[in-house]
Amino acid sequence: MYFSVIIAYYKNHQALRLILKALQAQSVQNFEVIIAEDDICSDFADQEFDKFTFKTKHVFQDIDLGFTKNATLNKAIKVSEGEYIIFVDGDCVPHQHFIKAYSKWMSPHKICFGRRVMIGPKLTEKLYRTQDLTLLNFVSILFSDTTRLKYGLYLPFSVQKRNSGIWGHNWCVAKSHLLAINGFDEDYITAGVGEDVDIEWRLTSLGLTLYSIRFSALQYHLHHRENYDQTAIQIGKNLLRIKIQQNAIVCKNGLVKL
C-alpha cells in the first residue's frame, strides 16, 4: 500500500518545515509527499526537499488568483503515484503514527478521516521557535493553551463508521475514486465547503463508506488567525446546494475540463 500525501500549502514556511519534519519521523515510510502550493512558485519548498528521504514533488499556480485550493489539489492528484491519497493542510502537523493509521485502516471502498488538536498561540510560537516536535506530547499540550485535547489521545484500535465527517485537513481515499468523480470541483473559489463537504457527498454517492479514525490519525493544528468568514462559507453552501440539485457527482470543472 503506497500513499501520496498532498499538503495544501500557502505561505506559512515555519509550519511547512514542521510538517515535513514530522513526516520524516513517521513510523512507516510508504509514501511520497506533494506540496500543493496555492500561490506562484516559492523557492522555499524546493529548498527544504533535500533534507528528507521521502520522494517529493511540488505543484503551484502560474498566477496568484486568490483562493484556488481545489485547482491546486487537482494539479497534485495528476502527478501523484500513490494508490491512496492523504490530504493534509499546511497548518497541521501529523503524529508520528499518522501514516501508520491510514495504512492500517484504509481499503479500496473506504474513506477514512481524522481530526486535529487545536494548538494555542503560545505553544505554536514555541514550536516555530524551537522546531521541537517532542513538544507535541499529551502531557505538554494538556498544560498548554491548547483546545480539543481529546483528539490528542492515541487509541490505535478505535474506528467508527460514520454518515459524514470529512474535514479537508485530514482524510484519505483511493486515487481511483477521485478520478471517477473528476477530482475537486474548481467552481468553488471560497474556503470552507468545496474541498471537503462537496467532495464527501460526491464520493459517498459512489457507494463509499466513511470511517472515523480520529484517535489514531492524529494531527496538531498550529494557531493562526482565521482566513475566511461566514460570508465565504455561505457562498460555498449556496453553490453546493445547486450542485446537489443537479446531481453533479462528476464535476465539469475538475481534473479534466468536461
Side-chain angles (χ1 to χ4, degrees):
M1 187 178 289
Y2 188 64
F3 293 88
S4 294
V5 180
I6 295 178
I7 304 173
Y9 167 67
Y10 184 73
K11 294 187 184 298
N12 192 339
H13 298 173
Q14 291 175 303
L16 180 60
R17 187 180 287 115
L18 282 168
I19 293 167
L20 293 173
K21 189 174 182 179
L23 289 171
Q24 180 66 56
Q26 289 296 298
S27 56
V28 296
Q29 290 284 322
N30 55 338
F31 61 90
E32 65 173 358
V33 172
I34 306 170
I35 306 298
E37 185 168 12
D38 192 15
D39 198 356
I40 58 176
C41 180
S42 66
D43 294 334
F44 175 83
D46 296 328
Q47 290 169 355
E48 288 292 300
F49 286 164
D50 291 341
K51 302 176 184 178
F52 305 104
T53 57
F54 44 74
K55 187 174 184 178
T56 54
K57 298 172 185 173
H58 182 199
V59 299
F60 46 86
Q61 297 293 9
D62 298 324
I63 305 172
D64 185 0
L65 297 174
F67 185 85
T68 54
K69 181 179 180 180
N70 282 6
T72 313
L73 292 175
N74 279 340
K75 285 189 174 186
I77 293 169
K78 287 178 183 179
V79 303
S80 65
E81 299 178 41
E83 178 186 3
Y84 295 94
I85 298 181
I86 301 172
F87 294 93
V88 175
D89 275 353
D91 53 13
C92 295
V93 180
H95 183 272
Q96 70 178 109
H97 299 312
F98 182 77
I99 304 296
K100 181 180 179 180
Y102 281 110
S103 298
K104 176 181 176 64
W105 295 111
M106 281 305 303
S107 61
H109 298 293
K110 286 182 180 178
I111 306 167
C112 288
F113 64 90
R115 288 291 183 259
R116 58 191 180 182
V117 180
M118 303 300 286
I119 302 298
K122 292 181 181 178
L123 183 53
T124 296
E125 190 280 328
K126 190 173 183 180
L127 284 161
Y128 284 155
R129 177 166 42 84
T130 65
Q131 293 286 302
D132 183 3
L133 292 174
T134 65
L135 295 172
L136 293 174
N137 66 78
F138 191 75
V139 174
S140 291
I141 64 176
L142 180 63
F143 294 101
S144 72
D145 55 339
T146 292
T147 59
R148 297 186 186 173
L149 287 169
K150 68 178 182 179
Y151 296 133
L153 292 170
Y154 181 60
L155 304 172
F157 302 106
S158 174
V159 61
Q160 295 176 306
K161 188 175 179 180
R162 309 288 286 191
N163 293 322
S164 63
I166 290 177
W167 290 359
H169 61 85
N170 184 353
W171 69 284
C172 179
V173 71
K175 179 178 178 178
S176 60
H177 297 310
L178 291 169
L179 298 179
I181 62 170
N182 201 24
F184 289 87
D185 190 336
E186 297 177 22
D187 286 350
Y188 292 91
I189 54 173
T190 61
V193 175
E195 76 273 23
D196 43 31
V197 182
D198 175 81
I199 203 83
E200 178 183 295
W201 84 265
R202 292 193 290 125
L203 285 169
T204 53
S205 295
L206 297 180
L208 303 185
T209 305
L210 287 161
Y211 288 89
S212 169
I213 55 171
R214 58 186 176 174
F215 295 115
S216 52
L218 307 186
Q219 274 186 348
Y220 305 92
H221 177 268
L222 299 163
H223 178 79
H224 59 81
R225 185 180 299 175
E226 285 192 1
N227 52 15
Y228 58 90
D229 56 26
Q230 290 303 313
T231 300
I233 292 174
Q234 192 58 52
I235 291 171
K237 286 182 177 180
N238 291 341
L239 181 57
L240 175 66
R241 190 179 304 111
I242 293 169
K243 299 285 185 179
I244 293 174
Q245 289 172 350
Q246 295 173 342
N247 198 33
I249 296 169
V250 179
C251 66
K252 294 182 178 180
N253 187 18
L255 286 168
V256 179
K257 308 307 176 188
L258 301 177

